[in-house]
Amino acid sequence: HVARAAGGIGFHAVTRPGQADESLPNVTRHEGLSDEALADLYRSADVLFMPLVDATANNALLEGLATGLPVVVTDLVSTRAYLG
C-alpha cells in the first residue's frame, strides 16, 4: 500500500460502504458523499492519485480533471484517451 509506505502524507479515499481498509491512520474514508461534498473534496485536494488495474471509462478521473486537479494515474490505453 502506498498509504502505508507514505505515513506522513494524508490520503482521502472515496469508497462504497464496507470497502475501506480501516487500519491506516493517515487515510480518511468518505462514503455516500453528495455531489456537492464530492466536488468540495476534489477542490481541496492537491493531486488525484488513482492506481488502476484496468479501465475502459472512469468518471472519477474525469471529475478530478474537471476540477483542475493534477492526476497520477496508471498508464492505460483508456487513461491516455482522457489525458492525451
Side-chain angles (χ1 to χ4, degrees):
H1 284 103
V2 171
R4 192 178 324 277
I9 298 174
F11 292 84
H12 291 265
V14 179
T15 67
R16 292 186 185 121
Q19 287 189 321
D21 180 351
E22 301 294 330
S23 66
L24 300 170
N26 60 327
V27 178
T28 302
R29 289 138 195 95
H30 304 273
E31 299 175 356
L33 293 176
S34 68
D35 289 343
E36 183 177 319
L38 182 58
D40 287 343
L41 187 59
Y42 280 124
R43 284 190 291 270
S44 71
D46 295 316
V47 66
L48 175 63
F49 176 67
M50 184 169 287
L52 300 167
V53 174
D54 195 13
T56 54
N58 193 295
N59 283 347
L61 178 57
L62 292 174
E63 291 164 351
L65 290 169
T67 62
L69 271 177
V71 298
V72 176
V73 65
T74 307
D75 184 18
L76 301 170
V77 171
S78 60
T79 58
R80 277 187 239 135
Y82 290 130
L83 300 171

